[in-house]
Amino acid sequence: MILSKPWQLDGLPDNEMGAKVRAKYAGLKFLGYWAWPKTEYTEASVGLPDPHDFVDVDWDTVQRKAVIRHLQAGQVFESWRGSSWCRFRCGAGKMGSTCLTDGKYVWPQGFAHYVTEHHVRPPQEFVNHVLGVKLSV
Ligand SMILES: [Zn+2]
């Protein structure tokens, strides 16, 4: 679920503006970006994951709450014109139109909704990052 490069960089022009945008995204990791439902397939989301595959209702509550707080506390990284919508089609409005960051990871503003409402569990790499766990080599 963690991407090293956002898909929208693929179409950037090979000029100063393109280089500026690429530099802004360099070194960051991206998560919480979903494909459209298979029944509403579009080119734009090819290769992105389906949040239904990450539901874990038994996930540790303490970790889950820490991740939700972290996701909600992100700083605005990018603002978009259109608002996002829930891939679970739960009817939630106001999923947000910004991407947030903690300086290392970038996620859509609405990602917290998936964790809160649909028990989507982010990859352990991100959970460890949030919890400040140092991985032993
Ligand atoms: Zn929802």
Side-chain angles (χ1 to χ4, degrees), residues 24-116:
K24 179 180 177 182
Y25 283 79
L28 295 167
K29 293 180 175 185
F30 303 83
L31 79 164
Y33 296 93
W34 310 119
W36 286 51
K38 291 178 181 75
T39 50
E40 302 166 44
Y41 176 87
T42 63
E43 282 290 324
S45 65
V46 169
L48 291 174
D50 181 337
H52 292 84
D53 295 338
F54 298 92
V55 172
D56 181 358
V57 293
D58 298 321
W59 184 28
D60 180 80
T61 308
V62 174
Q63 289 190 10
R64 188 163 161 262
K65 283 182 176 168
V67 166
I68 292 168
R69 272 197 305 273
H70 188 87
L71 292 175
Q72 291 172 336
Q75 303 293 306
V76 173
F77 178 74
E78 198 83 81
S79 295
W80 308 99
R81 281 195 195 133
S83 193
S84 186
W85 48 276
C86 181
R87 299 303 192 266
F88 286 84
R89 288 291 189 204
C90 71
K94 295 183 181 164
M95 293 286 286
S97 59
T98 62
C99 291
L100 305 177
T101 186
D102 60 13
K104 185 169 183 187
Y105 291 88
V106 177
W107 60 89
Q109 189 180 357
F111 190 28
H113 168 85
Y114 291 92
V115 182
T116 308

